[in-house]
Amino acid sequence: MQRYHSEVQTLTTRAANDDRFTVVPIEGVSAADAARQIAQIAARRRFDDEGSVGYLAWDGTDGWYRATIGVQHPSQDGIVLKGVSILIHVWPTD
């Protein structure tokens, strides 16, 4: 297990939705695992206990991930996630 530092930024064009924060070092088996855990923390932080992670994808740059977080709602096509996209940067503590 490796410990990872992180920074999280909400991707938005609305100033009222701008949110940036850091998370205490997270233990994970990989950077992607740490990013998923951080996305789950971000979802609970923004949407309380109803928040969840829609998807997590590597951004193509070392240590950078994009995720959607929000609240799931039923729809005619199944389930839709209403929320925001976030950018997560993780790097090893050592």
Side-chain angles (χ1 to χ4, degrees):
M1 295 284 264
Q2 172 72 45
R3 292 173 59 88
Y4 292 90
H5 287 295
S6 65
E7 292 179 343
V8 179
Q9 175 185 354
T10 302
L11 301 175
T12 181
T13 58
R14 297 179 60 201
N17 286 337
D18 189 37
D19 188 21
R20 297 166 189 255
F21 63 94
T22 60
V23 177
V24 296
I26 296 288
E27 285 190 353
V29 295
S30 65
D33 180 51
R36 174 155 298 280
Q37 291 180 53
I38 292 161
Q40 290 169 345
I41 291 168
R44 289 191 302 267
R45 179 179 182 268
R46 186 169 182 112
F47 300 102
D48 298 319
D49 290 333
E50 296 178 0
S52 63
V53 178
Y55 77 91
L56 176 75
W58 180 53
D59 196 339
T61 311
D62 193 34
W64 291 90
Y65 295 85
R66 288 182 184 261
T68 57
I69 59 173
V71 178
Q72 294 182 5
H73 296 279
S75 72
Q76 293 179 351
D77 298 334
I79 296 175
V80 64
L81 183 76
K82 295 183 180 179
V84 296
S85 294
I86 60 174
L87 186 62
I88 304 168
H89 183 209
V90 294
W91 64 95
T93 58
D94 299 325

